[in-house]
Amino acid sequence: MALPDFLVIGVPKAGTTALHAALARHPRLFMSPVKEPKFFLTDGPPPAKGGPGDAETYREHVWRRADYEALFADAPPGALRGESTPFYLYDRAAQRRIREAIPDAKLIVSLRDPVERAHSNWTHLWSAGLEPIGDVIEACAAEKRRIADGWSPFWHYVGLGRYGEQLEHLFTLFPREQVLVFRYRDLVDRPAATLDRICAFLGVEQGLISEVPRENVTAHPRHSRRHRILARLARLGDPLLGQRLTAPLERVLQRDGQPRRPLTWEQRQELLAYFAADIALLRDLLGRDSFGEDFGDWLRPRERSGGLVGARPSGQRQARNGRLRSASDPARPPGVDGPPGGDPIGA
C-alpha cells in the first residue's frame, strides 16, 4: 500500500474534477477512483451533521488510512499516484497533515476569479435544492453564522476564495517548487498547454493528453414556486433518506435549467469587498500569471461571466464527488462502478 505522489488541492468550482478526469487518461498517472476522498480533512471520523446535505457528504469521507491507501492499490508499476480534494488548500490543518504524511508530495492548485467561484458554488447548491437563500449576496452574508453552526466548507463561499491567505500558509509548509499554481481560465482557454505544464511539473511525458472534458456544467433553475417546494422537500428529507430522495429531486429541479446567469457589475462590486485585500496579498505572493496578468483583473468588471461553456451536455447531472467513478464514462478509470458526476470545466 502507498500514499499518493501528488494532490490536486484547490479550489472548488475551478475545474478540479474535469482535471482529475483528464489526468486519469495519462498512462503514467493513476488517479484515485474516488474523486474527493477528503482523507486529510480530519484526524478521524468526520462530523455527523452540518448544513443541508452535509450528513450525506460526511458519510462519503474516506477517513481510515487503510481505505485511503486501498484507493491506490491498482496503480500500475511506475505510475504516479494522485487524488483530487479541492478543500485541502482551504483547510490549514489539512495542509499540515499532508506535510506530515507526504512531505515530498507535489501539489496542484487551480485558481478561479473568487467572485465567479463563489457565484458558481452558490449556483451549484441552489440548483441541487440545498441552498435555502435565493440570492448569492445574502448567502455570502450568512457565511459567518453558517460556519458557527458547523456547515461544511462547501458552504463557505467567501472563505474558499481567499487564496492569498491559503497559499501564504501553504508556502510555510512546502517549498514553492513543489506547488504548481495556475488559473481556471488556463484550463478553459488553453487546455493542451495547461495539461502539458502539469505533466512537466509531475515529470511525465507531455503531449499525451490535450483535452479537458466538460463535466458538471452547472444548471441554473429559475426562481419559482415549484423550485421552492421541491428544494424544501430535499432539505427536509436529506438527513433521513440522503441520495435516495435528493438524487431524483435534483434531476427534476435541474431539468431544463439554463446556463449560470452572469452577475451584474453592482452585484460583483458588493462581493469584491470580501476579496480585495486578499487579491492584493495574492499579487504579492505570485506576481503575474501565465497570461501576464497580476490578478488585478479580478477587481474589474468581467468580460466573460456566468457559464463559460454554455448549456450542460445532455444526460449530465450535478457533481456527486466522493464516490466511485463510473466505468461507462471514458474519462474515468476502467473497472470502476458508481454514479455519474464530476466537477465543471466551465460552470
Side-chain angles (χ1 to χ4, degrees), residues 168-186:
E168 185 177 47
H169 185 267
L170 186 72
F171 291 150
T172 68
L173 301 174
F174 290 90
R176 296 199 182 201
E177 58 267 23
Q178 282 180 228
V179 183
L180 177 65
V181 180
F182 56 89
R183 288 220 215 181
Y184 167 77
R185 69 176 184 177
D186 292 347

Side-chain angles (χ1 to χ4, degrees), residues 139-155:
C140 287
E143 183 163 319
K144 287 184 179 180
R145 173 175 51 80
R146 290 175 168 187
I147 292 173
D149 290 342
W151 292 29
S152 74
F154 198 46
W155 294 94

Side-chain angles (χ1 to χ4, degrees), residues 12-212:
K13 308 307 295 182
T16 56
T17 302
L19 176 60
H20 184 101
L23 295 178
R25 295 170 171 170
H26 196 291
R28 286 281 316 282
L29 302 177
F30 178 86
M31 304 303 293
S32 64
V34 172
K35 195 268 180 180
E36 294 190 24
K38 305 181 180 69
F39 175 72
F40 291 106
L41 293 182
T42 63
D43 282 319
K49 59 182 180 179
D54 283 349
E56 181 77 3
T57 297
Y58 286 141
R59 286 193 289 271
E60 295 167 356
H61 277 222
V62 182
W63 59 271
R64 295 178 179 87
R65 173 77 175 246
D67 293 338
Y68 184 63
E69 292 186 348
L71 294 176
F72 308 100
D74 293 333
L80 297 179
R81 299 171 295 270
E83 66 113 319
S84 306
T85 299
F87 299 99
Y88 289 159
L89 179 65
Y90 174 60
D91 190 313
R92 311 308 194 268
Q95 293 184 17
R96 292 190 289 270
R97 293 184 191 107
I98 295 168
R99 178 70 178 84
E100 292 168 3
I102 39 177
D104 296 327
K106 291 190 174 182
L107 309 176
I108 298 170
V109 179
S110 173
L111 299 181
R112 185 176 189 174
D113 176 321
V115 171
E116 286 288 300
R117 197 221 65 79
H119 189 213
S120 179
N121 195 159
W122 170 83
T123 306
H124 179 127
L125 290 167
W126 169 260
S127 71
L130 298 175
E131 172 56 72
I133 299 178
D135 178 85
V136 64
I137 294 172
E138 292 179 17
C140 287
E143 183 163 319
K144 287 184 179 180
R145 173 175 51 80
R146 290 175 168 187
I147 292 173
D149 290 342
W151 292 29
S152 74
F154 198 46
W155 294 94
H156 304 182
Y157 304 148
V158 172
L160 284 167
R162 288 181 169 147
Y163 318 131
E165 297 173 359
Q166 298 162 28
L167 287 168
E168 185 177 47
H169 185 267
L170 186 72
F171 291 150
T172 68
L173 301 174
F174 290 90
R176 296 199 182 201
E177 58 267 23
Q178 282 180 228
V179 183
L180 177 65
V181 180
F182 56 89
R183 288 220 215 181
Y184 167 77
R185 69 176 184 177
D186 292 347
L187 287 175
V188 174
D189 293 344
R190 303 191 300 183
T194 303
L195 290 170
D196 276 350
R197 186 180 173 199
I198 295 168
C199 289
F201 172 69
L202 296 175
V204 298
E205 187 177 353
Q206 301 175 49
L208 299 184
I209 48 176
S210 59
E211 296 181 354
V212 180

Side-chain angles (χ1 to χ4, degrees), residues 243-320:
Q243 284 283 292
R244 284 178 293 169
L245 174 67
T246 59
L249 282 177
E250 183 180 297
R251 286 194 288 272
V252 176
L253 281 163
Q254 297 176 7
R255 187 177 298 156
D256 301 323
Q258 301 301 305
R260 183 167 60 88
R261 293 188 287 277
L263 292 167
T264 66
W265 173 230
E266 289 72 25
Q267 289 174 309
R268 181 170 173 80
Q269 283 179 301
E270 285 196 60
L271 294 178
L272 276 173
Y274 290 112
F275 303 110
D278 187 79
I279 291 172
L281 174 59
L282 184 68
R283 295 164 77 177
D284 290 341
L285 285 171
L286 299 183
R288 296 183 179 275
D289 68 5
S290 58
F291 283 81
E293 293 275 6
D294 66 354
F295 301 94
D297 58 301
W298 283 351
L299 297 171
R300 300 192 292 269
R302 291 277 302 189
E303 293 181 2
R304 296 181 300 170
S305 183
L308 299 182
V309 296
R312 173 183 292 177
S314 176
Q316 193 180 96
R317 38 181 293 220
Q318 197 70 62
R320 189 68 202 180

